[in-house]
Amino acid sequence: MTRVEKIVAPEVPEPPGASWSNCLRIGSELVFSGITAMGPDGPIGGDSLEAQTRACFEKLFAQVRAAGGDFGNIYKLVIYVTDIAAKDEVNSARRDMFRPTYPVSTFLGVSGFVFPGLKVEVDAWANLDISLHERDSQ
Amino acid sequence: MTRVEKIVAPEVPEPPGASWSNCLRIGSELVFSGITAMGPDGPIGGDSLEAQTRACFEKLFAQVRAAGGDFGNIYKLVIYVTDIAAKDEVNSARRDMFRPTYPVSTFLGVSGFVFPGLKVEVDAWANLDISLHERDSQ
Amino acid sequence: MTRVEKIVAPEVPEPPGASWSNCLRIGSELVFSGITAMGPDGPIGGDSLEAQTRACFEKLFAQVRAAGGDFGNIYKLVIYVTDIAAKDEVNSARRDMFRPTYPVSTFLGVSGFVFPGLKVEVDAWANLDISLHERDSQ
């Protein structure tokens, strides 16, 4: 049997009674629930799509770090937004916070997220046994 | 070569001439087409989002059983709904039908499903070589 | 460490300065960014959902070929459309361009894609170490 471990980063707590896990490690693979910018007092980054996207990436990186990895382990993103026209804001956040070799990234316009005020949600796939920043990954 | 096997549960038949598979086993991994509550006479669960969600989970579990597994093999859900405000109904179904360690779960509002009357669609990832219910998975 | 390689098909170039990869090979697994029919002069296939879907599949196949594989390696599709009622056009393209054993395929209505005029986006998962066309895959 491949071992399964729940990963809980201090920056991304699970609410009491949650009927989901935020992150699981399955062998070397990391799987995630969709990440939003929701904080204790509303969306981190307020009304800014770019700031909310950065907050999602920060939460994602925090979870990868809690599993012993870093952002070079992340190989796929799916980024959902309610305002598809604002792709430049998502691109800006992704360019600043990742670096080549970039993960693959799917970008979609959807109708809504779980809390009002949220403008973006990030789903992700990562693996602790790879690095997109190694020379032979270019 | 890793062996690929089509999984067909009696509870989740493939329509004649379908241009997709409902479930494939690839080594120990199980991959699925998005699951709706559609039955022969319309959505199972009628107008109730919670009942439709339960029907989706039942179909998912039937497919995992047909592959020789159980619901502890399921490690990721993506749950799409047309009414994002009704998250409590989805939570209720998920809490009742899964148990800790819960799978990761992404929850999104989308604009529509393949048949009228459908309120929810469930995508899933599972692996026959893991169990989220083992002690060391907590 | 599992080796990561960027796959670039001549038919699916990456724009200069892209903050994503179109396709990565991770061991035997291939992961993709969502694929649209966007070409240098607008959507390939114009206003036709079916023609755009075929263009997406052609791009997907080109990337799999660039990695040394063929369309029998593709085991999961997620097909997003803005007009969910037009499922027959997607089915027609998928039936013509794939063959049994078909990949699993999730079909969803979403609110928008990254460029105006796009009617469909295809996400995909493939593995170079499997073939859905082998006899024991039926």
Side-chain angles (χ1 to χ4, degrees), chain B residues 1-4 6 17-24 26 31-34 80 110-114 121 123 125, chain C residues 75-76 78 80 84 87 91 94-95 101-111 125 129-132 136-137:
Chain B
M1 297 275 285
T2 301
R3 189 164 182 271
V4 179
K6 180 181 281 220
S19 59
W20 68 89
S21 298
N22 282 340
C23 178
L24 295 173
I26 300 173
V31 294
F32 302 88
S33 291
Y80 303 95
V110 295
S111 57
F113 303 116
V114 69
E121 182 158 337
D123 210 344
W125 283 257
Chain C
Y75 63 84
K76 184 179 176 86
V78 182
Y80 303 95
I84 192 79
K87 70 177 186 299
N91 276 334
R94 191 172 47 198
R95 185 174 293 109
T101 298
Y102 290 105
V104 301
S105 184
T106 295
F107 182 57
L108 289 162
V110 296
S111 57
W125 283 257
D129 191 43
I130 65 171
S131 173
L132 275 64
D136 67 355
S137 300

Side-chain angles (χ1 to χ4, degrees), chain A residues 19-20, chain B residues 86-96:
Chain A
S19 59
W20 68 88
Chain B
K87 69 176 187 300
D88 289 348
E89 297 187 53
V90 170
N91 277 333
S92 175
R94 192 172 47 200
R95 185 173 293 110
D96 273 7

Side-chain angles (χ1 to χ4, degrees), chain A residues 1-6 16-24 26 31-35 80 110-115 121 123-125, chain B residues 75-76 78 80-82 84 87 91 94-95 101-111 125 128-132 134 136-138:
Chain A
M1 297 276 285
T2 301
R3 188 164 182 272
V4 179
E5 182 186 1
K6 179 181 281 219
S19 59
W20 68 88
S21 297
N22 282 340
C23 178
L24 295 173
I26 300 173
V31 295
F32 302 88
S33 291
I35 299 165
Y80 304 94
V110 295
S111 57
F113 303 117
V114 68
F115 294 110
E121 182 158 338
D123 209 345
W125 282 257
Chain B
Y75 63 85
K76 183 178 175 87
V78 182
Y80 303 95
V81 295
T82 41
I84 193 79
K87 69 176 187 300
N91 277 333
R94 192 172 47 200
R95 185 173 293 110
T101 299
Y102 289 106
V104 300
S105 184
T106 295
F107 182 58
L108 289 162
V110 295
S111 57
W125 283 257
L128 296 170
D129 192 44
I130 65 171
S131 173
L132 274 64
E134 293 296 312
D136 66 355
S137 299
Q138 303 306 312

Side-chain angles (χ1 to χ4, degrees), chain B residues 36-69:
Chain B
T36 72
M38 200 64 192
D41 308 308
I44 302 166
D47 275 348
S48 162
L49 172 57
E50 179 163 347
Q52 285 199 19
T53 306
R54 289 173 183 269
C56 292
F57 290 158
E58 290 289 4
K59 285 186 180 180
L60 172 59
F61 295 177
Q63 291 180 96
V64 176
R65 280 194 308 267

Side-chain angles (χ1 to χ4, degrees), chain A residues 70-127:
Chain A
D70 71 28
F71 73 113
N73 301 129
I74 300 162
Y75 64 85
K76 183 179 176 88
L77 302 170
V78 183
I79 303 178
Y80 304 94
V81 295
T82 41
D83 178 13
I84 192 79
K87 69 176 186 300
D88 289 348
E89 297 186 54
V90 170
N91 275 334
S92 176
R94 192 172 46 198
R95 184 173 294 109
D96 273 8
M97 295 183 64
F98 288 87
R99 62 180 175 86
T101 300
Y102 290 105
V104 300
S105 184
T106 295
F107 182 56
L108 289 162
V110 295
S111 57
F113 303 117
V114 68
F115 294 110
L118 292 174
K119 299 187 155 193
V120 58
E121 182 158 338
V122 174
D123 209 345
W125 282 257
N127 192 298

